[in-house]
Amino acid sequence: MKKMYLLALLLVLSSTATAAGKTKLDRLLSADMIGLQRAYFEKIAGAAKRISDKRRQYDIRGCLINIVEDTNKTILSIELENISERCTFDTANLFMQGPAHKLTFARLNDVNIGGGAKEACLGLCGNAAPPVYGLTVQTPHAMTLIEFDAEVSNTEASTHAAERLRQQLERRFPGVELYGDYLGKSIPAKVFTEMWLKEFQHVRITSIRFGYNIFNN
């Protein structure tokens, strides 16, 4: 009887330690949160910092999390927009492995069954804002068909990758304007994705959004 009591106590302590080991970001940035009520999310995140229609932003000690909800206040998607060593989470929550700040586009593409590279300015982009490069990911049933929209902005690695991609595209598609509205027209989307991934495969992402039907919301 005494042994059974000790075993039960150890199980409770182990469970408590596991829960305590999770950061607030780990708890919020999880596939389990999709489909839940916003009120439940805010019990952990606190009040929203900014609200715009169905979009809400939360500031967790400088880490910016965005959610999109439907008319019933059910969460459709969650995004961490400024991934870093400090603003990170365990991607096991999203059926992968390792911390989010080490997640590369190649790792994301390993689970991609239908997404592709996003069009971005690679030519005369102007100086209004730093360019953003990204990949959309549709996952298989084993990952509950969850979708990802991952991006990188203004890093040394992304700048070099974009320049290499621009050079390769100009060689293969001479005369094509690379500052918008070329994907699927002047350059086939599949070809562009293949060339994009060759250059961006080892680049680490700086933001990730996940959910279901997120490209329609």
Side-chain angles (χ1 to χ4, degrees), residues 29-54:
L29 294 155
S30 169
D32 291 339
M33 281 288 180
I34 304 299
L36 298 186
Q37 287 289 296
R38 185 236 302 165
Y40 180 85
F41 184 92
E42 290 186 341
K43 284 184 179 179
I44 304 170
K49 181 179 181 179
R50 294 186 178 90
I51 301 174
S52 178
D53 193 21
K54 297 177 183 178

Side-chain angles (χ1 to χ4, degrees), residues 34-35 54 68-70 74-78 210-212 214 217:
I34 304 299
K54 297 177 183 178
V68 175
E69 62 181 4
D70 64 15
T74 299
I75 297 175
L76 299 174
S77 70
I78 305 174
F210 59 91
Y212 298 97
I214 64 174
N217 295 292

